[in-house]
């Protein structure tokens, strides 16, 4: 039996096992896909938590609240801005409605694009 395996390996020019490079490439692609997904998930979390903090009327003098709202402002890309986003509400509680709608839509978009990229990159 060992002679048949050796003969096949000699004929094909391989040792009969998966090459080490193929495993390394697959592992690298998997890690890259996970990193991309984590970045997109983090962006979506900033938007979702930011919208929640505005809806709950959180203390904006708190450093953690400032950090989350500043992060949400950075990742909204201007398209999903609570001040000038896709949809603008007017009247009472307009800021809350704008944040919930625009940042919620932005969070969903970050999750969707992140998942598509994850599935494209991973092996």
């Amino acid at each position: 039996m060992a002679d048949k395996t050796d003969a096949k390996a000699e004929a094909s020019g391989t040792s009969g096992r998966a090459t080490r490079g193929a495993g390394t490439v697959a592992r690298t692609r998997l890690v890259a896909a996970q990193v991309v997904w984590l970045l997109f998930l983090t962006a979506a979390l900033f938007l979702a938590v930011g919208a929640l903090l505005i809806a709950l009327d959180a203390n904006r003098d708190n450093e953690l609240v400032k950090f989350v709202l500043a992060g949400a402002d950075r990742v909204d890309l201007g398209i999903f801005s609570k001040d000038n986003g896709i949809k603008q509400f007017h009247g009472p509680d307009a800021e809350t409605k704008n944040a919930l709608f625009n940042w919620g839509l932005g969070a969903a978009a970050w999750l969707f694009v992140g998942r598509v990229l994850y599935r494209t990159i991973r092996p």
Side-chain angles (χ1 to χ4, degrees):
M1 187 83 165
D3 294 327
K4 286 184 180 180
T5 304
D6 292 336
K8 281 185 182 180
E10 285 179 26
S12 67
T14 65
S15 64
R17 287 186 255 159
T19 62
R20 187 172 192 190
T24 303
V25 170
R27 178 74 180 146
T28 303
R29 286 181 60 194
L30 179 63
V31 169
Q34 290 171 340
V35 168
V36 166
W37 173 243
L38 183 64
L39 292 173
F40 278 72
L41 180 64
T42 302
L45 282 172
F46 267 103
L47 289 172
V49 172
L52 179 65
L53 290 173
I54 288 176
L56 295 175
D57 198 25
N59 178 9
R60 297 199 184 180
D61 292 329
N62 183 297
E63 290 301 318
L64 183 58
V65 173
K66 284 182 187 178
F67 174 74
V68 171
L69 293 178
D73 279 333
R74 277 189 218 101
V75 298
D76 70 14
L77 304 176
I79 299 169
F80 303 108
S81 171
K82 68 177 172 59
D83 299 323
N84 189 22
I86 292 176
K87 170 89 172 133
Q88 289 300 305
F89 294 92
H90 304 286
D93 297 326
E95 182 185 25
T96 301
K97 292 174 186 175
N98 287 334
L100 288 173
F101 183 84
N102 290 313
W103 281 358
L105 194 60
W110 277 103
L111 291 174
F112 176 76
V113 173
R115 200 61 176 174
V116 168
L117 287 174
Y118 172 80
R119 289 182 181 227
T120 302
I121 296 169
R122 88 178 165 162

